[in-house]
Amino acid sequence: MNSFIVMQGETYNEERKLGILWSPQRDKGGLVPHSWKRMTEVEEGDRVFHYVKGNIIAISIAREGCKEAKKPSTIQNPDKWNDDGYLVHLEYHELDKPLHVRDHFKEISPLLPIKYSPFQHDGDGNSGYLYPCNEELVLKLLEFISELNIYQVREEQLEFGIDVVRHTEHNTLIPVLAETESETITKMRRGQQRFKKELLPLWEGKCALCGIDQPQLVKASYSKPWRDSTDEERLDPYNGLLLCLNHDALYTNGFITFDGQGRLHISAVINEVDYLNYWLDPKTKIKVHADNKPYFKWHRKNIFKMN
């Protein structure tokens, strides 16, 4: 199961009535925007979060995979799109209480990918149509949506507020949220377990920096984080290295990195007098597999804190 965020705006009401997503295949210049082409990635069972005017107002489940289809006649075409497009049929589940993204953007922002983020740095939605929604972001959105839309029925409500109870019993959103959370957690757990299993022998089961080999104290550290990786990169054992919990935190947060020769680079954020506190030696050089190098390069460019 994969998840997406769709920026619908004025098209939401009509697409909801039809139970679809639809986008053109090409723009007026004949180009293929990534947010339209991404429609072809949607498969049966995938989840879609619907963003309209600053709020996530619905979650839907794809009833089938994407197919090519002409623009439905009831959808307006102010930009004179070509009628050839991509179509996905969905089962919409509207939220009783929409999630205002800006209200929670401080917690959402760290989970956004560097490339193809659905949101700008100020919390506004990006232009475009369909964006990927990584599993870490899915879980955070589900957390906020659940807080707003799942009611805890108190004893006094059972006695005096029977309508609230009926609403909760017949709310189709609750099982959708639960199933989405369960499938998302399972996908991440299985992927990360496979990643660590295949990464362990590459580093002989020991932290690449300090040699700690206690299984409970070492972690498979991603060079290119889950949020930025493709499904294939998330399982690639060369997209990371084995580190103890201390060095994993330093690497994950960009305080250390490695070059293509395996040399350790320490961020200027850490004072030299504190190197020993973190068990860091600037002369350290680790072994490097050839397939590690592009991931190390990505980490140095995008995660490492230069100063």
Side-chain angles (χ1 to χ4, degrees):
M1 182 195 79
N2 290 316
S3 298
F4 304 87
I5 297 178
V6 63
M7 315 310 232
Q8 281 172 295
E10 300 298 330
T11 65
Y12 173 78
N13 286 329
E14 192 57 46
E15 288 182 301
R16 179 185 56 78
K17 290 176 184 177
L18 297 173
I20 65 167
L21 293 182
W22 185 87
S23 78
Q25 293 183 13
R26 298 179 182 274
D27 62 19
K28 289 183 289 186
L31 301 177
V32 183
H34 70 86
S35 66
W36 293 351
K37 184 65 174 178
R38 190 165 293 107
M39 288 279 286
T40 62
E41 300 175 15
V42 180
E43 299 180 356
E44 181 180 354
D46 285 349
R47 303 309 201 256
V48 180
F49 293 85
H50 298 261
Y51 177 89
V52 179
K53 298 180 180 178
N55 298 286
I56 291 175
I57 65 174
I59 300 176
S60 62
I61 302 174
R63 297 169 57 188
E64 60 183 7
C66 177
K67 60 184 180 182
E68 296 185 357
K70 295 290 186 180
K71 181 183 72 65
S73 60
T74 54
I75 292 181
Q76 296 182 357
N77 188 4
D79 295 322
K80 301 295 187 290
W81 303 315
N82 190 298
D83 282 350
D84 295 326
Y86 299 117
L87 178 75
V88 175
H89 283 98
L90 304 168
E91 178 184 300
Y92 277 71
H93 298 269
E94 291 193 309
L95 309 184
D96 288 336
K97 297 183 179 179
L99 171 64
H100 188 59
V101 170
R102 276 193 168 186
D103 288 346
H104 304 277
F105 196 67
K106 184 177 180 180
E107 294 173 85
I108 290 173
S109 179
L111 305 178
L112 297 175
I114 292 173
K115 190 175 183 181
Y116 302 139
S117 171
F119 304 115
Q120 302 175 36
H121 294 301
D122 62 359
D124 284 344
N126 271 318
S127 59
Y129 190 63
L130 193 66
Y131 287 86
C133 185
N134 68 75
E135 285 72 22
E136 293 170 322
L137 180 56
V138 168
L139 292 177
K140 183 58 66 176
L141 294 177
L142 290 175
E143 175 187 330
F144 295 140
I145 290 170
S146 296
E147 290 174 354
L148 291 169
N149 290 272
I150 296 181
Y151 308 103
Q152 298 295 323
V153 181
R154 299 186 300 272
E155 186 175 347
E156 59 267 27
Q157 289 177 304
L158 287 170
E159 184 175 356
F160 300 110
I162 194 64
D163 288 341
V164 174
V165 180
R166 286 174 178 162
H167 176 82
T168 302
E169 288 178 341
H170 297 92
N171 188 347
T172 61
L173 179 64
I174 294 176
V176 170
L177 296 177
E179 290 167 10
T180 302
E181 180 182 50
S182 176
E183 291 187 37
T184 301
I185 291 173
T186 298
K187 178 181 178 180
M188 287 188 68
R189 183 176 64 247
R190 289 177 177 173
Q192 291 169 353
Q193 287 175 343
R194 176 177 166 183
F195 175 69
K196 184 174 184 178
K197 180 180 179 181
E198 296 186 8
L199 181 145
L200 275 169
L202 298 178
W203 302 95
E204 300 175 351
K206 299 184 294 187
C207 173
L209 282 176
C210 67
I212 286 178
D213 61 359
Q214 290 296 320
Q216 299 89 348
L217 301 179
V218 292
K219 187 172 181 179
S221 304
Y222 280 99
S223 296
K224 189 175 184 180
W226 183 280
R227 64 180 179 270
D228 292 294
S229 295
T230 64
D231 283 343
E232 292 76 18
E233 291 170 335
R234 291 167 179 169
L235 301 178
D236 186 353
Y238 294 99
N239 179 17
L241 66 168
L242 197 68
L243 295 171
C244 69
L245 299 182
N246 167 47
H247 292 129
D248 166 71
L250 292 169
Y251 189 64
T252 299
N253 291 286
F255 293 108
I256 60 174
T257 194
F258 302 92
D259 62 25
Q261 304 304 313
R263 288 186 290 264
L264 174 68
H265 294 258
I266 305 172
S267 171
V269 175
I270 299 179
N271 294 323
E272 290 187 25
V273 294
D274 292 325
Y275 285 178
L276 187 58
N277 294 334
Y278 297 105
W279 289 84
L280 295 175
D281 181 350
K283 297 179 181 179
T284 299
K285 184 177 180 180
I286 66 172
K287 68 175 184 179
V288 174
H289 303 278
D291 290 338
N292 286 134
K293 293 182 179 181
Y295 292 114
F296 282 176
K297 182 178 180 181
W298 193 97
H299 185 274
R300 289 198 312 277
K301 179 180 178 181
N302 296 288
I303 304 297
F304 185 54
K305 303 177 188 294
M306 293 292 293
N307 48 51

